[in-house]
Amino acid sequence: MRTLQVDLGERSYPIYIGGGLLAETGEYFERHNLAKKSPLLIVTDEHVGPLYLSKLETSLQNSGYRTISKVVKAGEKSKSLEVFEEIMTTAIEGGLDRHSVVIALGGGVVGDLAGFVAASYMRGVKFVQIPTTILAHDSSVGGKVAVNHRLAKNMIGAFHQPEMVLYDVDTLQTLPERDVRSGLSEMIKHGLIWDKSFTDWCRDQSDKLLDLDPESLVYGLTLGCSIKAQVVSTDEREHGLRAILNLGHTLGHALEATGGYGQFLHGEAISIGMVAAAKIAVNRGRDQSIYLVTKDLFERFGLPTTIPSQMNEDDIIAAMMHDKKFKENQIIYVLPISIGEVEIVNDVTADDVRHVIQELKEEGQHV
Amino acid sequence: MRTLQVDLGERSYPIYIGGGLLAETGEYFERHNLAKKSPLLIVTDEHVGPLYLSKLETSLQNSGYRTISKVVKAGEKSKSLEVFEEIMTTAIEGGLDRHSVVIALGGGVVGDLAGFVAASYMRGVKFVQIPTTILAHDSSVGGKVAVNHRLAKNMIGAFHQPEMVLYDVDTLQTLPERDVRSGLSEMIKHGLIWDKSFTDWCRDQSDKLLDLDPESLVYGLTLGCSIKAQVVSTDEREHGLRAILNLGHTLGHALEATGGYGQFLHGEAISIGMVAAAKIAVNRGRDQSIYLVTKDLFERFGLPTTIPSQMNEDDIIAAMMHDKKFKENQIIYVLPISIGEVEIVNDVTADDVRHVIQELKEEGQHV
Ligand SMILES: NC(=O)c1ccc[n+]([C@@H]2O[C@H](COP(=O)([O-])OP(=O)(O)OC[C@H]3O[C@@H](n4cnc5c(N)ncnc54)[C@H](O)[C@@H]3O)[C@@H](O)[C@H]2O)c1
Ligand SMILES: NC(=O)c1ccc[n+]([C@@H]2O[C@H](COP(=O)([O-])OP(=O)(O)OC[C@H]3O[C@@H](n4cnc5c(N)ncnc54)[C@H](O)[C@@H]3O)[C@@H](O)[C@H]2O)c1
Ligand SMILES: [Zn+2]
Ligand SMILES: [Zn+2]
């Protein structure tokens, strides 16, 4: 088991990563002095609930906690104000008070949704994340919580840091293969923005990671979380540095939106986005190897690196313009300088992006 | 014009109180370096909008700001997630970005609603309060913002401090008389919890205040805001001292809920609540004068001090039990020690409250 501290002054919290943690949740809650008199609310989804909810409830109840739970539909559609309001109803009817804790048991969807409930219920109660996807090593660190508006993703939310993150890697064994690859995409991103040697490690360990080898997972997730934690500690509210976490996301989000959030998983979309960012960097004069290494890396993980030929450039560009990362009509773009190092620029034009979309569409047809 | 500073570290902000401020809004925005490239969103209601929206827009536009606006229905019903979502739609369609400012032009309803929009849009943008009711001297200070859940008031919200409060007392001249009295009830409360000499001043000035004499209003609102600001500076997130602001509110909220939010205005309900708190204190051994002075004070302002005989004790007590102020099934009650000084106790029983409800019902029948 590994412990990592996210340094945010009085909002600092630990991340525990290891096997068998779910069954010890009650003890972790006691160790963190979480109130026993007030009921706890567990939010999970219909895939994760049947697998892990009763184990979690049992552990908490054995330590003397009262729990209520809400199981939402699996998938991005649950990150809505409607489902948010339903959970609020459960919370009020269940008698949650200011000392209650909201627990997210699941992937990034449940984490973002339950986190916004915790941020807003009675103007904020405590929050604990129990991530069950690889992608959630990213979403559970940093305190960004949100629901979607029908016009744009993650538009309504808050910064709300958890009390702790309990990452039981055993739960990852039941994760569908496509979600495994998608989650590893964010892990690789953390190498690409911050640490060349971690990128090399990811490449060397690709088979073990895809096979969900526990030791490799614990190491990779710890490194990934730790990079994210370092970035977030420096810039909690994304005034500057934190933007580097958006490598691959400007185009990635646009691809997700254009594909109607059904075609690509998040990790798949940003895999293409990171390859595109490498290509843009090369087109602007960086060494060609940046693109080749990036592309090869994602291919090893079975992640997409080209854009389907039937997707329309104009649609993708239009979707990009709606993104939160647009500041006064300028594109804020994260580009690699080399493997393990990025820069934030504001002079990438819509035409530069259009051009690289065309290149990645052509690339796809050569295969 | 008076300026008051709310001391909250890096979240500190000024309150400007005086006449003619609305027409100078643009200059205040420039002085506070609020971004001109991003559109501003003004939220107001259908009573206030026709009176003051165009004056505000003109001032901002003369200083080079672009504005969009959303006019909601007047009244408590607009403090809902549905209206919140509508405003989010206006914001997204209007192209609000992270540098945009949300402005509340109106009373406490618009302030709470627009404030929660500002707290949540893209995880938080800047917020400016332009209060147009007397009650809003209370609601615009302290950063509490919220919408209601159908099961309970102010259940979904955040702490989000404004950049500044611009209090143009000229706008108060159009306020309906009942809202004038209701707002003065919170002003008197600030005296009762903190400052006997301010309480005496309020009693002496009752006629001038009810006549909306500008000089008395500026003084009274400044004192009221300043007491609230001092309390909030000590305890921003209501872990302790801030609870004294709830004098009269435990019973007051229950009366509002039992009356279906139509019978009593907020200030009327807490007027009864403060008289009841004085009576409970006397029943527990405090000097009888506390009750007499409190009752006389509110009567001078034409505010209710008894409970209508047709209201049912059990309904009121049941409503009280749903309140956020209930902590682990104990009633947290604010009681006067003397005029200008209160204490927070947790041993007032439901029976004590039932008894005082009966007393205030009888008192009403003697009149
Ligand atoms: N807050 C942040 O900083 C942040 C960062 C990145 C992504 N996100 C958000 O995270 C979301 C994506 O997260 P995700 O990929 O974890 O999606 P997810 O939560 O939808 O999980 C993916 C799928 O796997 C299922 N699942 C989860 N755990 C499982 C397990 N252990 N066994 C079997 N099935 C399991 C889920 O039911 C779902 O069907 C997006 O909404 C994205 O916006 C947030
Ligand atoms: N956030 C806080 O700390 C806090 C504190 C106290 C109260 N509140 C909230 O404030 C709300 C009550 O505030 P309120 O009493 O200002 O109610 P309000 O906003 O509904 O205003 C009262 C009425 O007066 C009208 N009005 C407002 N200004 C006017 C003007 N200048 N001329 C003519 N008409 C005008 C409004 O349209 C409305 O009909 C409640 O929702 C309460 O929960 C919040
Ligand atoms: Zn991501
Ligand atoms: Zn009040």
Side-chain angles (χ1 to χ4, degrees):
Chain A
M1 211 268 295
R2 291 182 182 242
T3 306
L4 203 79
Q5 185 73 6
V6 183
D7 253 338
L8 292 164
E10 57 179 21
R11 288 183 300 288
S12 297
Y13 60 91
I15 307 175
Y16 305 105
I17 306 177
L21 295 181
L22 201 56
E24 296 169 21
T25 308
E27 288 139 51
Y28 280 92
F29 270 57
E30 288 183 312
R31 202 176 308 163
H32 281 261
N33 291 315
L34 297 174
K36 290 197 182 179
K37 287 197 198 158
S38 308
L40 310 176
L41 172 64
I42 305 166
V43 180
T44 188
D45 75 23
E46 60 190 4
H47 294 157
V48 180
L51 291 167
Y52 304 112
L53 179 57
S54 74
K55 195 174 209 171
L56 174 59
E57 287 173 335
T58 304
S59 170
L60 287 164
Q61 285 158 11
N62 285 345
S63 291
Y65 289 94
R66 273 186 303 140
T67 62
I68 54 174
S69 64
K70 170 81 186 175
V71 181
V72 304
K73 288 213 177 106
E76 189 70 25
K77 287 225 167 68
S78 283
K79 271 176 61 175
S80 70
L81 274 182
E82 289 63 42
V83 177
F84 171 81
E85 184 162 23
E86 279 173 31
I87 302 175
M88 287 291 177
T89 307
T90 305
I92 297 170
E93 288 177 345
L96 252 73
D97 64 34
R98 288 186 168 150
H99 301 268
S100 291
V101 181
V102 175
I103 303 168
L105 172 69
V109 164
V110 160
D112 283 8
L113 174 65
F116 189 45
V117 169
S120 318
Y121 185 72
M122 293 184 170
R123 301 195 182 88
V125 296
K126 289 181 175 168
F127 178 43
V128 168
Q129 294 250 33
I130 306 187
T132 65
T133 67
I134 295 177
L135 190 132
H137 87 276
D138 180 21
S139 60
S140 64
V141 180
K144 280 192 180 179
V145 296
V147 297
N148 302 325
H149 185 281
R150 88 190 132 71
L151 296 175
K153 215 176 121 98
N154 293 334
M155 216 56 177
I156 305 172
F159 287 91
H160 194 63
Q161 305 293 348
E163 296 301 303
M164 67 176 136
V165 178
L166 263 179
Y167 211 148
D168 184 344
V169 297
D170 292 347
T171 64
L172 302 176
Q173 298 299 327
T174 53
L175 199 60
E177 193 195 312
R178 214 179 139 192
D179 287 296
V180 170
R181 292 183 202 278
S182 171
L184 290 170
S185 181
E186 293 273 16
M187 185 191 287
I188 297 166
K189 181 197 78 181
H190 288 125
L192 288 175
I193 62 171
W194 199 255
D195 184 343
K196 179 170 181 324
S197 67
F198 181 46
T199 313
D200 294 342
W201 180 89
C202 286
R203 189 181 38 239
D204 294 345
Q205 299 279 313
S206 58
D207 291 341
K208 284 196 174 175
L209 287 167
L210 288 166
D211 280 352
L212 298 169
D213 169 65
E215 213 177 305
S216 303
L217 276 179
V218 170
Y219 182 81
L221 293 171
T222 304
L223 253 285
C225 287
S226 124
I227 291 170
K228 173 127 190 207
Q230 285 173 63
V231 172
V232 169
S233 298
T234 317
D235 176 23
E236 186 176 1
R237 287 184 165 249
E238 193 163 341
H239 297 304
L241 181 71
R242 187 165 178 163
I244 68 171
L245 296 169
N246 291 322
L247 177 66
H249 281 62
T250 309
L251 184 60
H253 281 164
L255 290 169
E256 283 182 84
T258 314
Y261 294 105
Q263 187 171 358
F264 297 110
L265 293 181
H266 180 66
E268 293 167 347
I270 64 163
S271 166
I272 301 170
M274 287 186 265
V275 173
K279 188 88 185 168
I280 294 173
V282 170
N283 292 347
R284 287 161 61 102
R286 297 281 177 204
D287 198 280
Q288 168 79 3
S289 68
I290 296 176
Y291 168 66
L292 296 174
V293 168
T294 305
K295 186 176 163 68
D296 169 68
L297 188 57
F298 288 107
E299 279 172 352
R300 278 175 196 251
F301 283 87
L303 284 159
T305 57
T306 63
I307 295 177
S309 57
Q310 74 280 7
M311 288 189 95
N312 182 287
E313 283 93 299
D314 293 331
D315 293 348
I316 301 172
I317 301 282
M320 233 170 65
M321 300 294 178
H322 277 118
D323 203 86
K324 281 204 295 299
K325 281 177 287 302
F326 277 77
K327 206 155 111 179
E328 295 158 3
N329 274 322
Q330 280 188 327
I331 316 185
I332 305 299
Y333 227 101
V334 187
L335 295 179
I337 296 172
S338 63
I339 298 297
E341 201 188 348
V342 292
E343 62 180 340
I344 301 171
V345 302
N346 62 7
D347 62 347
V348 170
T349 65
D351 275 345
D352 295 337
V353 180
R354 191 186 308 273
H355 183 68
V356 90
I357 294 172
Q358 281 156 354
E359 290 183 306
L360 292 193
K361 282 170 75 168
E362 274 167 37
E363 192 73 21
Q365 291 182 314
H366 293 314
V367 192
Chain B
M1 211 269 293
R2 293 186 180 237
T3 306
L4 202 79
Q5 186 72 7
V6 184
D7 254 338
L8 291 165
E10 56 178 22
R11 288 183 300 286
S12 297
Y13 60 91
I15 307 176
Y16 304 105
I17 306 179
L21 295 181
L22 202 55
E24 296 169 21
T25 309
E27 289 140 49
Y28 280 92
F29 269 58
E30 289 183 311
R31 203 176 308 162
H32 280 261
N33 292 315
L34 297 174
K36 290 197 180 177
K37 287 194 197 160
S38 308
L40 309 176
L41 173 64
I42 304 166
V43 180
T44 188
D45 75 23
E46 62 191 1
H47 295 158
V48 180
L51 293 166
Y52 304 112
L53 179 57
S54 74
K55 195 173 210 172
L56 173 59
E57 286 172 335
T58 304
S59 170
L60 287 165
Q61 284 158 13
N62 285 345
S63 292
Y65 288 94
R66 272 186 304 141
T67 63
I68 54 175
S69 64
K70 170 80 186 175
V71 182
V72 304
K73 289 213 177 108
E76 189 70 26
K77 285 224 168 66
S78 284
K79 270 176 62 176
S80 69
L81 275 182
E82 288 64 41
V83 178
F84 171 81
E85 185 162 23
E86 280 173 30
I87 302 175
M88 287 290 177
T89 307
T90 306
I92 297 170
E93 287 177 345
L96 252 73
D97 64 35
R98 287 187 170 150
H99 301 268
S100 291
V101 180
V102 175
I103 303 169
L105 172 68
V109 164
V110 161
D112 282 8
L113 174 65
F116 189 45
V117 169
S120 318
Y121 185 72
M122 292 184 170
R123 301 197 184 85
V125 296
K126 288 180 174 169
F127 178 43
V128 168
Q129 293 251 33
I130 305 187
T132 66
T133 67
I134 294 176
L135 190 131
H137 87 276
D138 180 21
S139 59
S140 65
V141 181
K144 280 192 180 180
V145 296
V147 296
N148 303 325
H149 185 281
R150 87 190 132 71
L151 296 176
K153 214 176 123 98
N154 293 333
M155 216 55 178
I156 303 172
F159 287 91
H160 194 62
Q161 304 294 346
E163 295 301 303
M164 67 176 135
V165 177
L166 263 178
Y167 210 147
D168 184 344
V169 296
D170 293 347
T171 64
L172 302 175
Q173 298 299 327
T174 53
L175 199 60
E177 192 195 312
R178 213 179 141 192
D179 287 296
V180 170
R181 292 184 203 279
S182 171
L184 290 170
S185 181
E186 294 272 15
M187 186 191 285
I188 297 166
K189 181 196 79 182
H190 288 125
L192 289 175
I193 62 171
W194 198 257
D195 183 344
K196 178 170 182 325
S197 68
F198 181 47
T199 313
D200 294 342
W201 180 89
C202 286
R203 189 182 36 242
D204 295 346
Q205 299 280 314
S206 59
D207 290 342
K208 286 196 174 173
L209 285 168
L210 287 166
D211 280 352
L212 298 169
D213 170 64
E215 213 177 306
S216 303
L217 276 180
V218 170
Y219 182 81
L221 293 172
T222 305
L223 253 287
C225 287
S226 126
I227 291 169
K228 173 126 189 205
Q230 285 172 62
V231 173
V232 168
S233 298
T234 317
D235 176 24
E236 186 177 0
R237 287 185 163 251
E238 193 163 340
H239 297 303
L241 181 71
R242 187 166 178 161
I244 69 172
L245 296 169
N246 292 323
L247 177 66
H249 281 61
T250 308
L251 184 60
H253 281 162
L255 290 169
E256 283 181 85
T258 313
Y261 294 103
Q263 188 171 358
F264 296 110
L265 294 182
H266 180 67
E268 293 167 348
I270 64 164
S271 167
I272 300 170
M274 286 186 267
V275 174
K279 189 88 185 168
I280 293 173
V282 170
N283 291 348
R284 286 161 62 102
R286 298 280 177 204
D287 197 280
Q288 169 79 2
S289 67
I290 296 176
Y291 168 67
L292 296 174
V293 168
T294 305
K295 185 176 163 70
D296 170 69
L297 188 56
F298 287 106
E299 279 172 353
R300 277 175 196 253
F301 283 88
L303 284 159
T305 57
T306 61
I307 295 177
S309 56
Q310 73 281 7
M311 287 187 95
N312 181 288
E313 283 93 299
D314 292 332
D315 293 349
I316 301 172
I317 301 282
M320 233 170 64
M321 300 295 178
H322 277 117
D323 203 86
K324 280 204 293 303
K325 282 179 286 301
F326 277 78
K327 207 156 108 179
E328 294 158 4
N329 274 322
Q330 279 189 325
I331 316 186
I332 304 300
Y333 227 102
V334 187
L335 295 179
I337 296 173
S338 63
I339 299 296
E341 201 188 349
V342 292
E343 62 181 340
I344 300 172
V345 301
N346 62 7
D347 62 346
V348 170
T349 65
D351 275 346
D352 296 337
V353 180
R354 190 186 309 272
H355 183 68
V356 90
I357 294 173
Q358 281 156 355
E359 290 182 307
L360 292 193
K361 280 170 77 167
E362 273 167 36
E363 192 73 20
Q365 290 180 316
H366 295 314
V367 191

